[in-house]
Every structure is written in C-alpha cells, then in structure tokens.
Amino acid sequence: MKTIGFIGLGLIGGSIAKTIRKFHPDYHILAYAKHKETLAAALSCNAIDAVLEEKDERYHTCDYIFLCAPVSNNIEYLKELKDIVSENCLLTDVGSVKEPIQTAIKELDMETNFIGGHPMVGSEKSGYAYANDHLLENAYYFLTPSERTLFQLTTKFSSFIQGLGALAVSLKPEEHDFITAAISHVPHIVAAELVHLVRRADRNNGMLKQLAAGGFKDITRIASSSPVMWQQICLKNSENIS
C-alpha cells in the first residue's frame, strides 16, 4: 500500500486523486487545499482519507506527492517540502510549463526525486466540483524527468501513470514547453482574444453576443478557463508562446 499526498485539489488534482482511488482503493490519500469546502467535498466522497495542513510533517510518510497548484505556487511549496519529505519520496507536478519548476528543483538540489508531469487533459471548467475519475483515460501524460532523476523512479512512476489509464510520454522540459505553447497555450490566447475582439466590437444593444452561435462558442469555449492559472502559464512560457 502506498501513501499519496496532494497539494491542490482542483480539476486536475481532484481527478488524479479520484482515479487513484478507483484503481487503488487501498492507497492512503492525503491532501491540502486552500479552500476548506474542497477538502470537505473530497472527504465526503471518499476521494481522500485525511486532510493535511500547508506545513505538515505527515508529508514525510508519502511515497508520491502531486503538486497541483499554479506553477509559481508549486515552486513555493517545494521549498517547504525540501526538509520534510523522505529520501524515497517521488515529487511531481501537473503544471503546463516545465522549465521554471525544473530550474527551481535544480537550485534546491532535489533533482533525483523529481519528475515533472503534465496530463494533457482539462476543461474550461475549474475546481474540484468538476473532477472525475475518467479524465485521464487514454490521455497523453507528459513526464519530464531531469538528468539526475533516479532511473528506477522514472520507470516506476511511468508504469504507475499508465496503470491509471493514461499514456505516458517522456520529454525534455524544453521540448515540453515548446510543444504545449503550440498546441495548448497559443490556442487559448487566440480564443480569449477573439472573445475580447467581439466584446470591443459589440454595440450597446449586445447584438453580437446575442447572435453568436455554435461555431463561435466552440472556438471560444476554452477562453473561460481559470485566469489565475493562465496568467502564470503565459508569463512562465512567454518566449515559446511569442
């Protein structure tokens, strides 16, 4: 039996927790989230077993820890975890940009136990309320181990991810960030800017908004995703996006 820790239980973190529960009902799942309502909901549906504090010695018991907060927040949490986690614990994240956290991992001398992760899944909806246990099914799950990541950890974690129904793909951090800029980040910016364009062009009677049909809604659906998350993505991957 393994113990899995989560920092952040939004759409992605919550979905991973629920998927682990589905495939490994005996695993012990612990979680911290900023909103108490999120943790209460996760406890009530048995997605997690116990609630952690932001700074909690119980992280030391974890075999895997998933960092599921926005990119900059994940980096800050790493600093807190450095002196708590066990030497055999695997740290991973789910962020859409990899080079910044890889740089932080190197500076903190935590490379041997870290594998960057990014499931290529999502929705315009955000938050634990939209998490489900089939979001990872047949989805590409990018893994970005560093040059110093222990080989056996990479192999074990890749098998674990594939055991959750996802398709593990290993990339270098810089390759990942270039790829996601093209197939994820730029499309989001295009969708968001199209919404702004129509808003600016609309008259006082709101005719454009009123008449926008299926095609417009399909191409702009992702524009309603979390602005906090997307602000950080754009700032952290700006060169590739440009």
Side-chain angles (χ1 to χ4, degrees):
M1 183 184 77
K2 291 186 181 298
T3 298
I4 314 292
F6 283 86
I7 296 180
L9 272 183
L11 174 68
I12 303 300
S15 293
I16 294 173
K18 287 185 174 184
T19 304
I20 292 173
R21 175 65 80 214
K22 180 172 72 173
F23 285 98
H24 304 285
D26 59 324
Y27 281 16
H28 194 56
I29 302 177
L30 313 173
Y32 163 75
K34 284 190 173 182
H35 302 293
K36 293 182 179 179
E37 298 83 359
T38 296
L39 295 168
L43 280 171
S44 67
C45 70
N46 197 37
I48 64 174
D49 296 294
V51 169
L52 295 172
E53 301 296 328
E54 185 172 1
K55 298 179 182 179
D56 200 310
E57 291 297 323
R58 285 175 292 172
Y59 286 117
H60 185 76
T61 67
C62 294
D63 298 286
Y64 296 156
I65 295 176
F66 285 83
L67 298 161
C68 303
V71 178
S72 295
N73 300 73
N74 285 338
I75 291 173
E76 291 303 311
Y77 287 129
L78 280 174
K79 299 172 184 177
E80 302 291 342
L81 292 170
K82 178 176 170 60
D83 296 324
I84 298 176
V85 297
S86 73
E87 61 181 17
N88 297 316
C89 177
L90 171 69
L91 290 160
T92 187
D93 74 320
V94 298
S96 187
V97 186
K98 297 269 77 85
E99 286 199 89
I101 196 166
Q102 290 284 170
T103 299
I105 282 288
K106 188 173 183 178
E107 291 173 350
L108 291 165
D109 194 25
M110 299 172 72
E111 288 179 277
T112 55
N113 292 70
F114 180 81
I115 299 176
H118 178 207
M120 289 297 287
V121 296
S123 166
E124 75 279 12
K125 306 295 185 182
S126 60
Y128 182 79
Y130 298 98
N132 61 73
D133 62 10
H134 55 265
L135 194 67
L136 298 181
E137 189 174 338
N138 295 320
Y140 288 113
Y141 198 118
F142 292 145
L143 301 178
T144 59
S146 71
E147 294 179 357
R148 291 182 57 202
T149 303
L150 297 174
F151 178 76
Q152 62 268 33
L153 274 182
T154 302
T155 303
K156 184 187 297 185
F157 189 60
S158 179
S159 297
F160 176 71
I161 291 301
Q162 295 192 135
L164 299 180
L167 307 171
V169 179
S170 291
L171 295 169
K172 293 181 179 179
E174 61 270 21
E175 290 177 327
H176 169 276
D177 290 357
F178 176 78
I179 289 170
T180 52
I183 65 176
S184 176
H185 304 165
V186 169
H188 177 86
I189 293 170
V190 170
E193 193 53 36
L194 182 55
V195 171
H196 290 310
L197 183 150
V198 170
R199 177 182 56 82
R200 291 191 298 265
D202 213 348
R203 304 303 179 211
N204 292 335
N205 59 9
M207 185 65 74
L208 293 181
K209 179 180 179 180
Q210 181 180 342
L211 296 178
F216 182 84
K217 292 176 181 177
D218 287 344
I219 202 170
T220 58
R221 175 183 56 81
I222 58 173
S224 59
S225 301
S226 166
V228 174
M229 178 184 73
W230 277 99
Q231 181 192 48
Q232 292 203 17
I233 288 171
C234 290
L235 291 172
K236 296 296 184 182
N237 203 27
S238 58
E239 185 175 339
N240 283 314
I241 290 171
S242 295

